[in-house]
Amino acid sequence: AEKHAGASCVAASMDDIQFEEAARVGQIITIRAKVNRAFKTSMEVGIKVTVEDVLTNAEKIVSVAYATYVAKPVGAGKVGLKPVKLLSAEDHLEHSLAVERRRIRLGYDQVFQKLMQESNKEGDYYTFEEEDAVSTELTHVQSIELVLPPHANHHGNTSGGQVMAWMETVASISASRLCRSHPILKSVNMFKFWGPSFVGDRLVFNAIVNNTFQNSVEVGVRVEAYNCEEWIKDQPRHINSAFLIFNAVSDKGELLTLPRVKP
């Protein structure tokens, strides 16, 4: 992103990420990234992650993801971006698809906000009764992390990847309390940066199981940041939220059927 913009860039959002393959110790991971399309002040960066087994030389796709970046403004205004030079047929295809992904991305946010508004109407409560249903409160996990210099990027902000790694850890613990096994992360949905955090901030992670399906579980994670003054006054900044989907497998690698939950 910075190579294209010629300026410092920050991540604005990450599209839903699907994990097709697990990467294990001893394997080689290759990460390739390129700018697919630049809009007026934002750009889509495509990221492809593959894993190679050194014993068999077999290469498999771990994930293909799309991130939105913006150039870090120097003053009050946003930084305009130059168009992307298209050199191959693949470049032209990704350039066209980027418009559709952007349209879906913006529509996704609008639909979700509408759903949240409708579900928050007075008297609209969800009731569920089933024997052996597990209370979601039992899956609530909270973690607090202090942002140190190794956790920051070259702008002094907390690295988005570090935040995501912390979110996965707390979500995995939440899921394990329900499925009583080691959950496997399958996707990260609606991961968006609502604001930055910095070295010295305390990040509070709250995770809870939202619902289970036959073989998968959705865990919601909310991240709030505090500097020293905000910590004393209990004035958090909401910087991230995401929904993480896990599977649970047996020792034989078979998918486990998960219990229903009681919100």
Side-chain angles (χ1 to χ4, degrees), residues 130-135 259-261:
E130 183 174 313
E131 277 190 46
D132 302 323
V134 179
S135 170
R260 297 289 291 165
V261 295

Side-chain angles (χ1 to χ4, degrees), residues 6-8 71-79:
S8 297
K72 194 174 182 182
V74 178
K78 295 181 178 181
V79 178

Side-chain angles (χ1 to χ4, degrees), residues 5-229:
S8 297
C9 294
V10 293
S13 66
M14 179 73 74
D15 285 6
D16 295 354
I17 306 171
Q18 308 294 327
F19 295 95
E20 307 297 337
E21 189 73 24
R24 296 177 173 83
V25 174
Q27 294 180 323
I28 299 170
I29 289 179
T30 302
I31 303 174
R32 301 178 180 89
K34 68 172 184 176
V35 175
N36 290 328
R37 184 163 188 155
F39 301 97
K40 190 175 180 180
T41 58
S42 66
M43 68 190 102
E44 179 193 276
V45 179
I47 307 158
K48 184 178 182 180
V49 184
T50 58
V51 62
E52 179 186 349
D53 193 308
V54 294
L55 300 179
T56 63
N57 289 328
E59 187 178 71
K60 296 181 180 179
I61 294 176
V62 175
S63 182
V64 176
Y66 300 95
T68 301
Y69 277 81
V70 295
K72 194 174 182 182
V74 178
K78 295 181 178 181
V79 178
L81 299 171
K82 62 185 179 183
V84 175
K85 292 182 180 179
L86 306 176
L87 304 177
S88 66
E90 183 184 351
D91 290 346
H92 281 275
L93 177 61
E94 291 293 350
H95 187 262
S96 299
L97 291 174
V99 175
E100 287 303 304
R101 284 191 289 261
R102 184 172 185 266
R103 183 182 62 80
I104 293 170
R105 191 180 302 130
L106 296 175
Y108 205 176
D109 285 343
Q110 293 171 1
V111 169
F112 184 73
Q113 292 299 328
K114 184 179 179 181
L115 283 171
M116 291 298 292
Q117 291 170 5
E118 290 177 352
S119 66
N120 288 332
K121 290 177 182 177
E122 188 176 351
D124 186 12
Y125 298 105
Y126 178 77
T127 58
F128 181 83
E129 295 293 338
E130 183 174 313
E131 277 190 46
D132 302 323
V134 179
S135 170
T136 54
E137 188 57 33
L138 297 176
T139 69
H140 178 224
V141 178
Q142 185 180 83
S143 175
I144 302 176
E145 301 287 349
L146 176 64
V147 182
L148 299 173
H151 303 140
N153 58 27
H154 55 301
H155 305 304
N157 299 353
T158 314
S159 170
Q162 179 63 69
V163 174
M164 185 179 287
W166 280 330
M167 291 173 81
E168 181 189 351
T169 298
V170 71
S172 179
I173 295 170
S174 175
S176 68
R177 288 184 172 178
L178 177 87
C179 57
R180 306 287 179 150
S181 67
H182 297 292
I184 298 172
L185 181 64
K186 297 302 295 180
S187 68
V188 180
N189 299 339
M190 299 189 72
F191 184 90
K192 187 168 184 176
F193 297 95
W194 297 104
S197 58
F198 311 96
V199 172
D201 280 351
R202 284 82 171 158
L203 302 190
V204 178
F205 297 78
N206 279 289
I208 195 167
V209 167
N210 289 331
N211 208 345
T212 59
F213 309 95
Q214 186 172 1
N215 300 120
S216 64
V217 54
E218 179 190 283
V219 180
V221 185
R222 179 183 174 94
V223 189
E224 295 174 331
Y226 301 78
N227 59 29
C228 288
E229 184 178 347

